[in-house]
Amino acid sequence: MAAIPYRNDLLAPYLALPQGDKIQAEYVWIDGDGGVRSKTTTVSKKVVDIGELRIWDFDGSSTNQAPGNDSDVYLRPAAIFKDPFRGGDNILVLAETYNNDGTPNRTNFRHHTKKVMDEAKEYVPWFGIEQEYTLFDVDGKPYGWPKNGFPGPQGPYYCGAGTGKVFARDVIEAHYRACLYAGVNISGVNAEVMPSQWEYQVGPCEGISMGDHLWMSRYLLERITEQWGIKVSFHPKPLPGDWNGAGCHTNYSTKAMREPGGMQAIEAAIEKMSKRHNEHIAVYGEDNEMRLTGRHETGHIGSFSSGVANRDPYRVTSIIVETTILDK
């Protein structure tokens, strides 16, 4: 399938037209396959509080979130971000998914995580997540790689500068600025070890906001690479062979850990986590066994480590707090 490039030159005059008092709200949610979906609704005036937004719905049978004979899934607004694509007072709305009987959809991990974070609020859990990803052409070849071969071995690409060492920096700069505009707490970016692989960092974020900000940053990245005609992959091992995988490293602390003498609290948390290693790995994402081999700057998936790759920030942040604070 060939990429159809955006015609921003044609689109720009229409985005510059006045909207009157009405705004566009882009509802964003996590689908049944761990991807992001979105659709737009018109709101009669500028939104100043999330309670002003309506509960919406969609066809869950088309997103692997409901059967065809009972397909209505409902979107409940959970967090608001500014819209860097439309500008003005237009917004992005991160939403939770619920079944028509009012129960959380089976893919709605935010619902449980919010309860966990509320219960642990007095401990002030902070998170910072390092999201690695890989860019591909529409033909499935890593972006910028030779069409009939491979680039040179890993070495010059990490935090690199210069032609042949860095690929798609314009995409990365666009994503960084879009996150800042939207209100995503992005804190840095760098080229990674494998060519066409990048990392950005989000945080520190407290409690439930960690998952909200990371998921919105992923949505922004998907939208921006869409404009460039590039695919983005968060798979932990997108290419076989002697190439680094892509992780999503979770950094975590509580108020006690950040205060003088905090090492004791850190060691206690590590001890608790070491006893539940397999439970944690089970929710850290699929295919991590392909990446966590003990090679390419990783630990082995069967051995406990204080920094393990992950895919779903809600499930990961939830089990960390449950283990280290709530003893569940």
Side-chain angles (χ1 to χ4, degrees):
M1 180 183 294
I4 301 175
Y6 262 53
R7 288 297 304 273
N8 287 314
D9 57 330
L10 297 178
L11 176 61
Y14 298 97
L15 289 181
L17 293 174
Q19 298 178 224
D21 294 331
K22 296 181 179 180
I23 69 157
Q24 291 167 275
E26 189 80 12
Y27 279 54
V28 179
W29 72 95
I30 304 163
D31 68 15
D33 301 306
V36 284
R37 308 276 182 131
S38 71
K39 64 177 187 171
T40 313
T41 189
T42 300
V43 181
S44 61
K45 62 180 181 179
K46 178 180 178 179
V47 175
V48 296
D49 183 86
I50 199 168
E52 299 172 3
L53 292 167
R54 69 184 176 109
I55 296 175
W56 205 7
D57 63 338
F58 66 93
D59 173 15
S61 68
S62 298
T63 63
N64 195 25
Q65 291 174 285
N69 64 342
D70 187 16
S71 64
D72 285 344
V73 178
Y74 291 84
L75 296 168
R76 296 186 187 179
I80 296 176
F81 296 84
K82 294 169 64 178
D83 187 341
F85 306 107
R86 297 182 175 120
D89 292 326
N90 300 298
I91 56 175
L92 304 174
V93 181
L94 187 67
E96 288 191 32
T97 51
Y98 286 81
N99 303 314
N100 60 16
D101 61 0
T103 58
N105 188 267
R106 59 178 173 77
T107 64
N108 180 0
F109 299 113
R110 187 185 189 278
H111 175 78
H112 172 73
T113 302
K114 180 68 165 60
K115 291 182 177 180
V116 170
M117 296 304 173
D118 287 346
E119 190 174 349
K121 187 176 181 61
E122 66 180 288
Y123 297 92
V124 198
W126 284 5
F127 299 90
I129 290 185
E130 306 163 31
Q131 176 69 73
E132 295 176 344
Y133 61 93
T134 311
L135 298 175
F136 288 85
D137 282 328
V138 291
D139 62 5
K141 191 79 171 179
Y143 185 77
W145 285 31
K147 292 300 181 185
N148 298 307
F150 296 89
Q154 296 180 156
Y157 311 110
Y158 174 71
C159 296
T163 301
K165 298 178 182 178
V166 173
F167 304 91
R169 194 186 291 276
D170 52 350
V171 174
I172 275 62
E173 290 292 339
H175 176 245
Y176 202 142
R177 190 61 62 90
C179 285
L180 291 173
Y181 178 89
V184 171
N185 191 21
I186 188 170
S187 50
V189 66
N190 60 270
E192 266 301 333
V193 176
M194 187 178 81
S196 294
Q197 187 181 81
W198 288 82
E199 174 190 298
Y200 65 91
Q201 303 88 37
V202 177
C205 294
E206 183 178 342
I208 194 65
S209 66
M210 182 69 258
D212 295 348
H213 282 240
L214 190 67
W215 274 110
M216 187 53 68
S217 74
R218 289 175 176 173
Y219 173 76
L220 294 175
L221 185 58
E222 293 278 10
R223 285 284 304 275
I224 289 166
T225 52
E226 171 191 323
Q227 291 187 333
W228 260 259
I230 298 173
K231 293 181 178 180
V232 60
S233 170
F234 298 108
H235 193 277
K237 186 66 175 177
L239 292 174
D242 198 20
W243 303 103
N244 274 34
C248 189
H249 311 109
T250 303
N251 303 279
Y252 163 70
S253 69
T254 62
K255 186 174 183 292
M257 295 177 190
R258 297 186 294 270
E259 292 179 340
M263 185 54 69
Q264 183 175 352
I266 292 172
E267 291 172 349
I270 290 174
E271 175 64 21
K272 290 180 179 180
M273 293 178 70
S274 69
K275 297 175 181 178
R276 298 183 61 185
H277 177 66
N278 291 335
E279 293 175 64
H280 281 243
I281 286 293
V283 301
Y284 280 13
E286 297 178 356
D287 297 327
N288 269 322
E289 71 280 359
M290 299 171 65
R291 176 178 178 270
L292 299 175
T293 62
R295 300 180 65 235
H296 301 112
E297 305 176 48
T298 70
H300 192 277
I301 194 168
S303 303
F304 173 76
S305 170
S306 59
V308 181
N310 73 85
R311 295 285 304 282
D312 190 319
Y314 291 125
R315 299 178 76 184
V316 172
T317 57
S318 173
I319 196 170
I320 288 174
V321 168
E322 288 179 318
T323 299
T324 62
I325 295 176
L326 304 179
D327 293 322
K328 290 187 176 181

